[in-house]
Amino acid sequence: MRRSSQAARVTSRPHIAEWFGHRVFPTVDSGDRAIDDQESERCPFLTQTLKGSTPCVKAANSRGVCTISASSNGPRQDWLVCPYRALDDGLLGDMVCRLYGIPPLDPVLIRPVVVLADEAGRSEVLDAVHGAARVFVYFQDKLGGEISLSRTGASPELSFDITVVELLPADAADLWPGLSAAGVTVGKYGVIELQTTDTHGSYSHAVKALSSALDLHKGKFSEQLAGNPEWAGRKIEGPNISNVFKRTFYQIAFKFQVTKRETSVGCALALPQPVWDSWQPFLGAPELYEQLDGTWRLLDDQTTQPSDWIYVFDIDTEPGASGTPAPIRVNRVIGTDAATLSRAAFEVAPAKAVAHGGDHDAVAETITRRLGRYLAEIS
């Protein structure tokens, strides 16, 4: 009985959920592809994006850690801790098409800007620009570097997670004056923000345990790990929920506003499901209303053509086909803007906090009750 209760406590704690792109808790991916990526310390998402074997770019203490499994919202969920885990062609393509108003079946080519340094990648992009497809390149931290706004005396320095720009034939109309080379002109840009999670503590102990077990057990690693789930949970701590909201909310509201320019198509926020769930108390758990096109709106917002979007997504619990990493599933697409989000955060949520579901001021009631301990005359 004692052993079973101890095992239950171990498995109830936060764990590394995916390591080098493959699940290690609560189930373990036992495929050859998973072991190959883990032994090679390869990032399968950067590898797919760059069309060549690419190692994980994280520091040694967190190397290979993609998601953390934790029950901070109640049910066990996977919290995203590496932005490259969300480099999913389907998710990225969907957001780009929505920002640029492209019908789902239209041909689209989306590549990281660094492929232009390679002759084959450059030829693919330039040929597509003058072909039938809409063509986009994007900048990201390790993929060409982030695009930033410099600090001024009246505004903060800010970087965009992913900046997408359309490349068009140089003779295309209605373009802002941009770079023109080899018959190519820069079109409008769009911004994609991706919410990762800060967690308490360090991943180093669990990473060391997994690395040592992989080295020691070789061909039986997945089998041994399934029997020793504590390896993936060694001193792992859960997400800092309040920080997840505070760190993101100002920046995303700011970026929703700053992309309202003739040169931009808007901004999309990719938000993991557990993060969206953790946001609910901070937004006053706003009502959502489904639209005819399957998207959603917050509160009483009836905007038919929003330029800002929130994509709420989750990661499947089972590996993809042929042992590939678990696919990403989009659960909800919400059209919104900075004003609506701010109203939810700074009007709806505070009102509900004070009212506590009733008509009375919860703060005033608490003050009266506490004073009653000292002054019997207070009614």
Side-chain angles (χ1 to χ4, degrees), residues 3 10 34 67 185 203 209 212 232 249 254 285 311 356 364:
R3 182 174 297 177
V10 167
T67 53
T185 303
Y203 309 134
S212 298
F249 186 79
F254 192 100
Y311 272 67
H356 272 209

Side-chain angles (χ1 to χ4, degrees), residues 4 26 52 64 94 109 123 128 160 177 249 266 292 314 322 327 365:
S4 62
D94 194 318
L109 180 70
S123 295
F160 302 131
F249 186 79
L292 293 176
D314 212 348
S322 304
E365 287 185 342

Side-chain angles (χ1 to χ4, degrees), residues 78-123:
D78 288 349
W79 298 74
L80 189 75
V81 296
C82 177
Y84 301 106
R85 173 60 180 96
L87 275 180
D88 176 88
D89 287 347
L91 177 62
L92 184 61
D94 194 318
M95 289 191 288
V96 169
C97 287
R98 193 172 299 278
L99 285 171
Y100 285 86
I102 302 171
L105 298 180
D106 280 15
V108 175
L109 180 70
I110 307 170
R111 294 287 185 264
V113 70
V114 292
V115 305
L116 297 176
D118 174 75
E119 188 59 38
R122 180 182 172 86
S123 295

Side-chain angles (χ1 to χ4, degrees), residues 66-284:
C66 302
T67 53
I68 297 295
S69 175
S71 305
S72 303
N73 287 328
R76 182 169 287 283
Q77 295 172 297
D78 288 349
W79 298 74
L80 189 75
V81 296
C82 177
Y84 301 106
R85 173 60 180 96
L87 275 180
D88 176 88
D89 287 347
L91 177 62
L92 184 61
D94 194 318
M95 289 191 288
V96 169
C97 287
R98 193 172 299 278
L99 285 171
Y100 285 86
I102 302 171
L105 298 180
D106 280 15
V108 175
L109 180 70
I110 307 170
R111 294 287 185 264
V113 70
V114 292
V115 305
L116 297 176
D118 174 75
E119 188 59 38
R122 180 182 172 86
S123 295
E124 178 192 31
V125 169
L126 292 179
D127 289 346
V129 167
H130 298 285
R134 299 280 293 273
V135 180
F136 303 88
V137 294
Y138 63 88
F139 299 82
Q140 193 177 11
D141 182 21
K142 303 296 183 183
L143 300 171
E146 294 175 328
I147 302 295
S148 301
L149 289 173
S150 299
R151 182 182 183 276
T152 73
S155 63
E157 178 183 6
L158 280 176
S159 297
F160 302 131
D161 289 345
I162 300 176
T163 305
V164 182
V165 63
E166 184 169 16
L167 300 182
L168 295 148
D171 57 353
D174 300 323
L175 305 174
W176 66 288
L179 173 68
S180 180
V184 176
T185 303
V186 174
K188 293 185 177 184
Y189 70 89
V191 169
I192 294 173
E193 292 294 303
L194 178 64
Q195 176 62 64
T196 56
T197 301
D198 291 332
T199 59
H200 301 285
S202 168
Y203 309 134
S204 60
H205 300 283
V207 167
K208 182 178 180 181
L210 291 172
S211 299
S212 298
L214 180 63
D215 182 57
L216 180 64
H217 296 291
K218 296 294 182 184
K220 295 186 177 181
F221 171 67
S222 57
E223 178 183 334
Q224 291 293 321
L225 179 56
N228 296 275
E230 69 275 10
W231 293 343
R234 192 162 295 177
K235 296 190 177 182
I236 294 292
E237 298 184 43
N240 185 339
I241 289 181
S242 62
N243 192 44
V244 167
F245 180 80
K246 290 183 292 187
R247 181 168 65 90
T248 302
F249 186 79
Y250 169 76
Q251 290 201 26
I252 194 60
F254 192 100
K255 291 168 183 177
F256 277 178
Q257 283 298 109
V258 87
T259 53
K260 291 186 180 302
R261 300 287 184 272
E262 286 298 317
T263 52
S264 174
V265 293
C267 181
L269 170 64
L271 208 62
Q273 183 69 54
V275 176
W276 174 248
D277 293 343
S278 75
W279 275 27
Q280 295 310 295
F282 297 93
L283 295 176

